[in-house]
Amino acid sequence: MKKLGIIALAFFMQHVSAQANRFVYQVTMKPDAENKSDVKTENAYLDISPEKSVFYSENRIKRDSIMQKAFQGGGGRASISRDQMEGLRSSINYSVEKDKANQKIYYKDRIGRDIYSYEEDRPMTWKISSETRKIGEYKVQKAETDFGGRKWTAWFTTDLPYQDGPYKFGGLPGLIVKVEDDKGDYSFDLMKNYKIAEFPTLNQFGNTLKVKRTDYLKQQKKFQTDPMSFMTQGGGGFAATRIGGGRGPGGGGDQNPADMRKRMEERVKEDAKKNSNPIELQ
């Protein structure tokens, strides 16, 4: 009986350690530099386990769930409601993974058909203040940093046993409850948290290309000027390490290539205009 009790306890502890905590942040953004009254607000998840954390859009998981059910039901894309998917559009198309053991941060974002992944190469240096206050139920302390061309103020708590935060933010002796830039263009506010059984699988069509951060930025600019080159196999002619395989969305069917190119370029330029005030300015 004693041996069975030890086995049961070991199994329970293994199950608990396999769980993760999900922190839900409300993200407020002003992505259009020429129209600061256009404020985007949506929720994002920061899932934390002892080994890693992942930050991504709540709408992404909802879209993935809809697509998975459609394909499992045999209906494919044709059975997916366009209006339903439009309602789940996200301004957070990236994901950020933090490897706790190796103290590394990986950023992933789609450009054209493929996912580009780079390791963040700029460490954050925080100036921790003695100033404290209460945010919700948590006692928080102030810290400041310069990152990505913006000045950021964070409020972190040691009431929770985590040293992490939304987006790429972290490295403080506690969990970041709130962080915002000094222009009021971007803010992340912790709303709630709860346990989850495991990390969800984030669907991603196309290949994942491992690149340097500077190369990712170059490809991003190239896509804005010549998006059609990214719709063919090869990621705009960029040599990179591919992880996995697969074809991404963007098949043209029998449409006129010249019309496709024109519509694609117009759409990309319009999107670039609406996202002229990115979270990282440099």
Side-chain angles (χ1 to χ4, degrees):
M1 283 294 292
K2 187 176 180 181
K3 187 175 181 181
L4 284 174
I6 293 172
I7 293 172
L9 178 62
F11 177 79
F12 173 75
M13 293 303 294
Q14 183 180 19
H15 176 69
V16 169
S17 65
Q19 287 185 330
N21 270 68
R22 170 167 292 167
F23 294 86
V24 183
Y25 287 84
Q26 179 177 280
V27 187
T28 305
M29 304 157 278
K30 298 177 182 176
D32 190 338
E34 297 180 6
N35 184 13
K36 291 295 186 73
S37 63
D38 181 21
V39 181
K40 308 288 187 187
T41 303
E42 63 178 281
N43 287 347
Y45 294 155
L46 174 64
D47 293 345
I48 304 177
S49 76
E51 296 80 26
K52 68 176 183 178
S53 70
V54 185
F55 181 77
Y56 56 95
S57 167
E58 179 183 67
N59 282 349
R60 177 172 178 177
I61 285 294
K62 290 180 178 179
R63 290 199 311 267
D64 284 355
S65 177
I66 290 171
M67 293 183 71
Q68 184 177 3
K69 288 177 181 176
F71 281 99
Q72 286 177 345
R77 287 183 179 272
S79 65
I80 298 173
S81 166
R82 185 181 182 88
D83 290 340
Q84 190 177 24
M85 295 299 280
E86 281 292 317
L88 294 175
R89 285 175 67 88
S90 175
S91 296
I92 304 171
N93 297 306
Y94 57 82
S95 63
V96 179
E97 181 173 327
K98 300 185 184 92
D99 181 339
K100 301 296 182 66
N102 298 307
Q103 296 293 298
K104 293 184 182 296
I105 299 174
Y106 300 99
Y107 179 92
K108 291 183 180 181
D109 191 16
R110 176 176 295 281
I111 302 179
R113 297 171 60 120
D114 297 318
I115 302 293
Y116 284 70
S117 172
Y118 68 80
E119 180 185 331
E120 179 54 62
D121 54 2
R122 300 162 296 172
M124 285 187 191
T125 303
W126 292 96
K127 180 181 178 182
I128 299 177
S129 165
S130 59
E131 184 179 347
T132 62
R133 64 188 243 203
K134 270 271 222 172
I135 296 181
E137 62 186 287
Y138 303 115
K139 179 184 177 183
V140 296
Q141 188 171 349
K142 185 179 179 181
E144 296 174 304
T145 190
D146 292 336
F147 183 76
R150 294 183 185 272
K151 293 183 181 296
W152 296 90
T153 298
W155 295 90
F156 67 93
T157 183
T158 56
D159 293 348
L160 295 165
Y162 303 100
Q163 297 181 359
D164 209 327
Y167 191 58
K168 298 176 182 177
F169 299 107
L172 286 167
L175 180 76
I176 295 174
V177 173
K178 179 181 180 68
V179 57
E180 61 183 343
D181 74 298
D182 63 345
K183 294 183 174 64
D185 290 343
Y186 286 86
S187 69
F188 301 80
D189 296 87
L190 179 63
M191 306 301 289
K192 59 182 177 180
N193 73 88
Y194 51 89
K195 290 190 179 296
I196 56 174
E198 58 185 359
F199 280 72
T201 300
L202 299 178
N203 294 330
Q204 49 188 46
F205 297 95
N207 299 287
T208 296
L209 311 180
K210 291 181 67 175
V211 298
K212 293 181 179 179
R213 182 178 61 86
T214 51
D215 291 327
Y216 161 79
L217 295 174
K218 289 176 184 176
Q219 292 300 93
Q220 198 176 47
K221 289 182 179 178
K222 182 179 178 181
F223 177 70
Q224 292 172 0
T225 56
D226 185 17
M228 283 304 292
S229 67
F230 286 78
M231 293 298 109
T232 58
Q233 194 69 25
F238 184 73
T241 304
R242 289 178 180 268
I243 309 172
R247 293 192 55 180
D254 297 326
Q255 298 180 56
N256 184 293
D259 291 341
M260 280 181 61
R261 176 180 289 273
K262 184 179 179 181
R263 284 196 297 273
M264 175 67 74
E265 288 175 348
E266 288 174 351
R267 193 185 77 192
V268 170
K269 287 177 181 177
E270 183 64 24
D271 285 346
K273 182 181 177 183
K274 291 179 180 178
N275 292 280
S276 53
N277 185 36
I279 186 170
E280 293 184 29
L281 297 172
Q282 60 187 40

